[in-house]
Amino acid sequence: MIITFDSNITHQDATVKALEALLRENNISYSSYMAPLSGGPRLEYQIVSSVEVPLQETIVSTLGGRAELCPHHSPFPRVGIHPNGERFAFEYNGVRFDDNTFNLFPGLCAVDSEDSAIKMMQACQAEGLDCTRMGAFKPRTSPYSFQGLGAECLPYVFEAAGKYGIKVIAMEVLEAADIERIDRILEGTGRPTGVMLQIGTRNCQNVSLLKAVGSQQTYPVLLKRGFGISLHESLFAAEHIAAAGNCQVVFCLRGLKSIGAAPHRNLVDFGHVSTVKRLTRLGVCADPSHSAGARAPDNCGISDIQHVSAQAVIAGANMILVDFHPDPSKALCDGHQALSVEQLPRFVQDMHLCRETFIKRCKISEQ
Ligand code: PEP
Ligand code: MN
């Protein structure tokens, strides 16, 4: 059972204290957290019970109409959708993440030089974009591949972001210490930008890392689905982050490992955009680069990467994380799937067209 209090109700409120007293007296265990909802953060109480929560009527009368009750819940109590359909929404460093927003995160799979980072951010700024991706800590399949520049690139990446108006950088973390490294260097450079901590597909079931990003409130989290596990299992990863205290999570589809995917890198799973929205309160991102992984153009000059991005956006994705590079042939990581920065203006125009189309599609279904 989840109890969502009305806005502005805090732990100090008499109704909340009465609820806690009732639960304690009856040995009903509970926990509380802030749910980032569209009207602002709201206090929620979670009661985990294998049987039907006892005293439901007494709980309802204690709440005095100052909270909504979600009695029968999904396996994901914190991130699961409520009957009222309300979704998570938050603002981070001036960028809003909710179901009515659409954020593009084109950027470097891996930072390989200061020059690439600057050119990428200049290209984003020229398109009026204030988000990018910049990989510093890279989980490479081969130990002999470029492993990312690590913390050493962070000072110039953060400073350039401030200079070119980038407010949020999606950046993967491989261990809890990476969060501290990012935090220390952001602080040292005067916080010129913000970071969305990315959990890569390989770490989707790394419970200690999920708990590490979940037990801090400074940075929102972009969680990639696991490439070889079910959607439900990946959603449990989101629940782990929320259960540790951080509900500012966006869920990212990035394709599944399958021989059926060839010649794509992974089997595109963007049919799950609407499924994740139906099952959870999370915003949904799609990563066309790590899923399709093919930038060869079709007879209209549009790459598979751009086509699958369009498919995700037209289905309601709230965010696109996509690899670009000033010179893909020289990129030290995943250059084969990076689009060139010259292609960014066309890509952005196409994504906006798809977003508008999605909004029109919703209007048609409301008729
Ligand atoms: C990435 O986005 O850089 C990445 C490694 O993606 P994934 O974890 O989806 O493979
Ligand atoms: Mn990559």
Side-chain angles (χ1 to χ4, degrees):
M1 175 193 281
I2 298 284
I3 296 162
T4 309
F5 280 96
D6 292 351
S7 314
N8 304 322
I9 295 191
T10 66
H11 285 106
Q12 272 64 49
D13 193 276
T15 312
V16 178
K17 288 202 184 309
L19 172 71
E20 286 192 355
L22 174 71
L23 298 174
R24 271 199 308 269
E25 272 161 30
N26 291 281
N27 290 321
I28 301 173
S29 55
Y30 63 88
S31 56
S32 68
Y33 57 97
M34 295 309 288
L37 295 166
S38 33
R42 284 164 70 183
L43 183 61
E44 287 194 340
Y45 274 67
Q46 176 184 1
I47 299 168
V48 185
S49 174
S50 51
V51 292
E52 197 177 321
V53 176
L55 298 169
Q56 288 207 25
E57 278 176 24
T58 322
I59 291 174
V60 171
S61 67
T62 306
L63 297 174
R66 306 187 68 206
E68 284 171 58
L69 211 82
C70 185
H72 186 67
H73 216 280
S74 78
F76 324 111
R78 294 198 180 191
V79 305
I81 194 83
H82 283 205
N84 66 10
E86 204 175 354
R87 313 194 58 78
F88 284 163
F90 57 91
E91 192 167 312
Y92 169 64
N93 207 36
V95 179
R96 182 116 187 119
F97 294 85
D98 70 30
D99 204 38
N100 299 316
T101 56
F102 174 62
N103 293 303
L104 268 176
F105 279 66
L108 303 178
C109 177
V111 178
D112 44 20
S113 71
E114 182 172 3
D115 186 56
S116 312
I118 288 175
K119 286 195 172 122
M120 188 66 238
M121 293 188 209
Q122 282 173 328
C124 289
Q125 188 183 43
E127 290 311 304
L129 304 175
D130 52 10
C131 300
T132 188
R133 57 161 293 152
M134 292 277 147
F137 310 100
K138 298 300 301 177
R140 302 307 303 280
T141 304
S142 164
Y144 309 113
S145 304
F146 172 61
Q147 303 291 305
L149 293 173
E152 108 188 22
C153 68
L154 298 184
Y156 63 72
V157 165
F158 295 157
E159 273 158 16
K163 188 163 166 198
Y164 297 108
I166 302 293
K167 295 185 187 145
V168 184
I169 302 174
M171 183 174 280
E172 181 163 356
V173 288
L174 302 181
E175 54 177 349
D178 290 341
I179 309 171
E180 286 153 34
R181 292 183 180 106
I182 288 170
D183 194 56
R184 183 167 30 81
I185 297 170
L186 264 181
E187 189 63 32
T189 49
R191 298 203 179 268
T193 188
V195 169
M196 186 170 210
L197 301 173
Q198 188 177 320
I199 298 292
T201 193
R202 296 161 182 80
N203 279 315
C204 186
Q205 291 190 307
N206 179 342
V207 172
S208 66
L209 188 60
L210 298 173
K211 287 184 176 164
V213 294
S215 56
Q216 57 80 43
Q217 306 282 338
T218 315
Y219 304 104
V221 180
L222 179 65
L223 170 69
K224 295 272 193 101
R225 80 172 298 173
F227 59 73
I229 56 176
S230 68
L231 182 64
H232 258 66
E233 286 163 332
S234 292
L235 294 178
F236 273 119
E239 187 68 21
H240 260 294
I241 299 170
N246 188 354
C247 291
Q248 299 198 342
V249 179
V250 174
F251 188 81
C252 183
L253 299 168
R254 51 80 68 208
L256 299 170
K257 184 120 328 213
S258 160
I259 51 162
H264 284 173
R265 182 173 174 178
N266 285 289
L267 190 66
V268 177
D269 55 349
F270 300 165
H272 281 164
V273 168
S274 51
T275 316
V276 175
K277 289 194 175 191
R278 179 167 49 76
L279 296 175
T280 76
R281 303 194 272 183
L282 301 168
V284 181
C285 174
D287 176 341
S289 312
H290 289 82
S291 42
R295 65 152 181 265
D298 68 359
N299 56 337
C300 304
I302 302 175
S303 64
D304 288 4
I305 288 180
Q306 189 164 328
H307 276 301
V308 299
S309 305
Q311 289 160 15
V313 177
I314 222 162
N318 305 106
M319 177 171 161
I320 294 287
L321 183 80
V322 52
D323 292 2
F324 275 79
H325 195 279
D327 186 353
S329 67
K330 297 220 175 74
L332 296 182
C333 178
D334 284 350
H336 59 91
Q337 68 189 28
L339 301 176
S340 107
V341 291
E342 281 98 68
Q343 295 172 289
L344 185 61
R346 270 176 281 160
F347 186 89
V348 172
Q349 208 183 328
D350 190 6
M351 293 308 108
H352 285 142
L353 171 69
C354 294
R355 178 69 187 173
E356 283 159 28
T357 307
F358 169 69
I359 293 166
K360 285 184 187 152
R361 292 180 64 221
C362 294
K363 292 208 174 104
I364 292 171
S365 78
E366 280 161 14
Q367 280 167 12

